[in-house]
Amino acid sequence: MESTYDAVYGRWLSDPASFWAEAAEAVHWFKKWDRVIDASRPPFYRWFPGAELNTCYNALDLHVETGKADWPALIYESPVTNSRKVFTYRELLDEVALFAGVLLRRGVEKGDRVIIYMPMVPETAIAMLVCARIGAIHSVVFGGFAANELATRINDATPKLIVSASCAVEVNRVVPYKPLLDQAIELATAKPEVCIILQRPQELAFMIDGHDFDWTQEMAYARPADCVRVAATDPLYILYTSGTTGIPKGVVRDNGGHCVALKWSMKNIYGVEPGEVFWAASDMGWAVGHSYIVYGPLFHGNTTVLYEGKPVGTPDPGAFWRVISEHHVRVLFTAPTAFRAIKREDPVGNYIRKYDLSNLRTLFLAGERCDPDTLLWAEKQLGVPVIDHWWQTETGWPVGANCAGLGLLPIRPGSCTKAVPGYDVRVLGEDGQEIPAGQNGNIAIKLPLPPGCLPTLWNKDSEFLESYMSTYPGYYKTADAGYKDKDGYLWIMSRTDDIINVAGHRLSTGALEEVLASHSDVAECAVIGAADDLKGEIPLGLMVLKAGVVRPHDLITAELIRMVRERVGPVASFKVAVIVKRLPKTRSGKIVRGTIKKIADGREYQIPPTIDDPAILDEITADLAAIGYPRK
Ligand code: COA
Ligand code: AMP
């Protein structure tokens, strides 16, 4: 198929309002919009003001009412518990309507926040859709975060109710969630009135009388509840993501723009038709999980796969191929790190050839920069187009992609191809001026952002302005750096802030440093993202001890590693820390983290001209060599 990308992009660029009005026709509205976009208060743009809809109605009821009730909506595949369940659209709707009744009975009202701290089970998607159904605002917290991180989110979102489960099941251990939840509520200043707990047989939770209620028992008494009408501009959810400090940013997603953008993306970016099986192998705690495990595929009438397992070890590197062949998956979406994990255990693809993958049409990768080796390996092994695409929690759907539904453009490994219609992506110099093709700069998106992107941060308009809108007036700052080549292909190379990307998970080195600095023996510290063959980057901590500390270094580093696990969570994968005599700084006292990273990665570096004492760089080189850096 000849690509229509240029024509579609041009059509959007010449008249964005008509473009999105046309896309919005695919959505079910209780009431149509007064205007497509309200641009009266830039940079606070609002999409489809005046319109009313219900996100859950668009995901479920609509399909049931239009003859798709018996189509499979969700396939739960759980190699870690050895179970599988398929829900048709009618079955999923019945569960959702009933659990909506539970939340209403427990006092949740339109506009209330509900935190969902859950593993990868269907009840997580059900709880999200229930919130959408009754107009409550959900905030899903990834299960790999510790109690302290959950407490921070509870304080910011002030939920009326929390939905959780007794445990998660990881590859070789059961992770009890309830003690973490109880600890988080203890730590938080905002106290939810009620918790609803899904008791899983792998580990039963202790329930607090009058505060914790059993999911199954609650369902037994519930009466199904209908969809409420919400404004297109009402928030659907808050999703916290790493900022530059220990306080995460509450990215807000609205109902109307979100539904329009995701529906458009399923057909035009991912190239799937209703009824086809779409699998995003991610976690519902991340933006990918929100958009492409739950909402996007259901809006579009697809069958979504909800997978509780890993690419390797559950039980082997053939796990993905088994699921694809058994469920006729058409499109797989995952992070490059998953493929690096598979490649490491099955370099010549023996497991791939054990399965019939003839239904697989396209593989999409995102979440971190995709190294060309991984992309080419996947392409060779699977024999399908492998598409690197780029987006952020903030945008909620891809910014740069090769739009399969518009006909693929030639793939250039290392590039996420071109800006998706809706996004006017520019590369700016420090002065905010656009810089020529081929030159590295700051990647920004000309305002307004398209529907589906964050309208603001939860309760923090000023931080929204400061973080994203003030550096380059008229543009959204992505905090990614890279370039556009002469043909308009985008090359996203790195972050411009102190965010690192560990196995596709976004972490703030600042947040990790806050934990290390709170240790009584630590005078100062720096965390960098060291290159890692599997996870892309892993955090590496360098600490200077206070004068007079004589305790063994091994003991102190072990304590620090434990502290990060306990306060941030296992997701940080913080396993390497080294005590150094001094940290290299500029004359104004700024730690030169970029140079430390280059030393750790074994890359050439230039001594920063403003460095205070260049000899410290040699000390750091020796200290890192002593713990095996740069890695061979
Ligand atoms: N609840 C509790 N703990 C969790 C968890 C959860 N929901 N999710 C992860 N963890 C824990 C893991 O058990 C692990 O703990 P450990 O250090 O004790 O082993 C730690 O958090 C890190 O988890 P993870 O990042 O998943 O690393 P891993 O080593 O277990 O697996 C990969 C590595 C590459 C296989 C895995 O990261 C992966 O599949 N990534 C690609 C898909 C993806 O999720 N991408 C996200 C964005 S698209
Ligand atoms: P998150 O908000 O967790 O989705 O992380 C977003 C960040 O991940 C982006 O700002 C990028 O730094 C990085 N990222 C995501 N996808 C890609 C990609 N395809 N190429 C390069 N970087 C990516």
Side-chain angles (χ1 to χ4, degrees):
M1 163 181 172
E2 180 124 342
S3 176
T4 56
Y5 166 83
D6 285 334
V8 176
Y9 192 85
R11 191 155 54 80
W12 161 72
L13 194 59
S14 66
D15 189 354
S18 305
F19 182 91
W20 289 118
E22 194 187 307
E25 291 299 335
V27 167
H28 172 276
W29 305 91
F30 294 122
K31 177 175 173 282
K32 287 271 177 84
W33 49 93
D34 301 330
R35 269 170 299 168
V36 176
I37 184 167
D38 173 3
S40 60
R41 211 165 57 94
F44 295 99
Y45 296 92
R46 292 290 179 265
W47 286 98
F48 308 105
E52 288 177 1
L53 77 162
N54 184 281
T55 290
C56 179
Y57 186 88
N58 274 281
L60 300 177
D61 305 60
L62 183 63
H63 303 308
V64 171
E65 289 169 16
T66 53
K68 300 180 201 129
D70 297 325
W71 288 21
L74 187 149
I75 298 170
Y76 168 55
E77 258 292 338
S78 174
V80 288
T81 61
N82 204 14
S83 51
R84 164 190 295 183
K85 189 167 177 185
V86 181
F87 294 79
T88 63
Y89 271 95
R90 186 194 308 277
E91 287 163 345
L92 193 57
L93 173 58
D94 287 347
E95 293 287 314
V96 166
L98 210 55
F99 195 58
V102 171
L103 290 206
L104 290 178
R105 192 163 150 263
R106 289 289 164 200
V108 177
E109 292 173 10
K110 189 172 171 181
D112 285 341
R113 273 78 58 215
V114 172
I115 280 191
I116 301 172
Y117 183 60
M118 297 277 276
M120 287 292 288
V121 290
E123 287 79 0
T124 310
I126 290 171
M128 293 163 74
L129 290 160
V130 162
C131 291
R133 190 169 190 83
I134 63 174
I137 303 165
H138 64 69
S139 186
V140 183
V141 178
F142 175 62
F145 282 122
N148 189 55
E149 291 287 323
L150 178 56
T152 310
R153 288 154 174 80
I154 293 175
N155 282 340
D156 198 66
T158 60
K160 184 164 238 172
L161 181 146
I162 298 185
V163 183
S164 189
S166 55
C167 65
V169 185
E170 279 290 292
V171 181
N172 44 21
R173 70 196 162 108
V174 170
V175 185
Y177 273 12
K178 187 62 177 18
L180 296 171
L181 173 64
D182 290 344
Q183 199 190 340
I185 295 175
E186 180 76 31
L187 288 168
T189 46
K191 309 283 182 194
E193 291 162 23
V194 170
C195 291
I196 301 205
I197 309 293
L198 176 75
Q199 291 280 24
R200 303 189 75 191
Q202 294 77 12
E203 166 96 24
L204 289 183
F206 170 78
M207 306 285 269
I208 303 170
D209 222 17
H211 186 266
D212 300 333
F213 298 91
D214 182 295
W215 176 298
T216 313
Q217 288 174 12
E218 290 287 293
M219 289 287 261
Y221 296 112
R223 299 235 307 269
D226 223 336
C227 293
V228 302
R229 294 159 80 118
V230 301
T233 51
D234 280 343
L236 167 67
Y237 69 76
I238 308 166
L239 178 57
Y240 288 91
T241 189
S242 300
T244 47
T245 65
I247 307 293
K249 294 172 168 170
V251 167
V252 173
R253 196 85 58 213
D254 67 12
N255 277 275
H258 173 251
C259 194
V260 172
L262 289 195
K263 211 162 185 316
W264 187 88
S265 72
M266 292 305 295
K267 167 104 179 86
N268 293 285
I269 299 181
Y270 297 103
V272 281
E273 296 298 335
E276 292 189 323
V277 184
F278 184 90
W279 178 19
S282 177
D283 190 289
M284 281 178 285
W286 308 120
V288 175
H290 281 59
S291 297
Y292 294 113
I293 297 175
V294 184
Y295 290 115
L298 296 180
F299 288 152
H300 199 47
N302 291 114
T303 303
T304 186
V305 179
L306 198 162
Y307 177 72
E308 187 180 31
K310 302 262 173 175
V312 294
T314 58
D316 56 42
F320 275 17
W321 323 130
R322 177 185 66 76
V323 175
I324 291 172
S325 69
E326 286 179 7
H327 299 296
H328 306 275
V329 172
R330 282 295 198 177
V331 171
L332 170 67
F333 174 170
T334 190
T337 189
F339 267 79
R340 289 196 296 268
I342 294 170
K343 182 178 159 203
R344 195 158 78 167
E345 293 199 9
D346 184 22
V348 293
N350 287 332
Y351 282 87
I352 298 176
R353 273 169 281 288
K354 279 170 61 176
Y355 297 93
D356 173 8
L357 303 182
S358 55
N359 279 292
L360 185 69
R361 196 165 51 217
T362 331
L363 167 66
F364 282 85
L365 298 175
E368 57 178 324
R369 181 170 162 71
C370 182
D371 53 292
D373 280 356
T374 301
L375 187 138
L376 293 169
W377 182 83
E379 205 173 62
K380 180 167 164 228
Q381 296 296 335
L382 297 174
V384 298
V386 179
I387 297 177
D388 176 15
H389 63 325
W390 162 62
W391 51 299
Q392 308 183 311
T393 302
E394 288 84 345
T395 65
W397 63 289
V399 184
N402 203 337
C403 295
L406 303 180
L408 288 176
L409 295 165
I411 292 169
R412 296 186 184 172
S415 161
C416 65
T417 316
K418 296 193 183 186
V420 169
Y423 296 93
D424 185 352
V425 179
R426 308 285 179 101
V427 184
L428 308 179
E430 291 307 316
D431 58 0
Q433 297 302 309
E434 229 177 313
I435 54 178
Q439 287 184 25
N440 225 43
N442 299 291
I443 303 195
I445 304 168
K446 196 161 184 295
L447 296 176
L449 292 171
C453 295
L454 81 170
T456 189
L457 292 175
W458 180 248
N459 278 342
K460 291 198 176 71
D461 282 354
S462 57
E463 196 184 324
F464 169 75
L465 294 176
E466 194 188 317
S467 301
Y468 304 110
M469 302 294 175
S470 59
T471 313
Y472 309 113
Y475 294 88
Y476 162 84
K477 178 175 86 171
T478 66
D480 278 317
Y483 61 95
K484 231 188 238 188
D485 66 21
K486 61 177 181 8
D487 303 316
Y489 276 61
L490 292 166
W491 300 74
I492 312 299
M493 307 308 285
S494 58
R495 292 283 301 194
T496 58
D497 53 12
D498 59 2
I499 299 285
I500 58 172
N501 201 312
V502 179
H505 312 321
R506 173 168 157 179
L507 293 174
S508 152
T509 53
L512 303 181
E513 287 174 7
E514 277 177 31
V515 177
L516 301 182
S518 70
H519 189 286
S520 55
D521 291 342
V522 172
E524 58 178 350
C525 62
V527 173
I528 56 134
D532 183 76
D533 278 351
L534 175 64
K535 299 198 172 186
E537 284 183 314
I538 52 160
L540 188 160
L542 300 94
M543 290 82 49
V544 178
L545 298 184
K546 288 179 182 160
V549 173
V550 290
R551 299 172 63 229
H553 287 187
D554 285 358
L555 194 69
I556 298 173
T557 49
E559 285 168 3
L560 290 165
I561 288 168
R562 199 167 53 242
M563 274 170 73
V564 172
R565 195 175 171 92
E566 280 167 7
R567 293 222 212 137
V568 178
V571 63
S573 293
F574 184 73
K575 294 184 176 157
V576 196
V578 58
I579 289 167
V580 297
K581 281 201 284 301
R582 299 179 292 173
L583 285 168
K585 293 182 187 163
T586 62
R587 280 189 281 279
S588 59
K590 207 166 167 288
I591 299 169
V592 290
R593 291 179 178 75
T595 311
I596 303 176
K597 176 171 166 56
K598 283 188 180 147
I599 295 173
D601 293 350
R603 283 190 287 144
E604 268 186 34
Y605 65 91
Q606 305 210 310
I607 297 177
T610 53
I611 197 144
D612 188 29
D613 181 356
I616 303 179
L617 295 176
D618 296 331
E619 290 173 21
I620 295 289
T621 306
D623 288 332
L624 289 178
I627 57 162
Y629 282 85
R631 294 271 193 241
K632 293 285 170 297

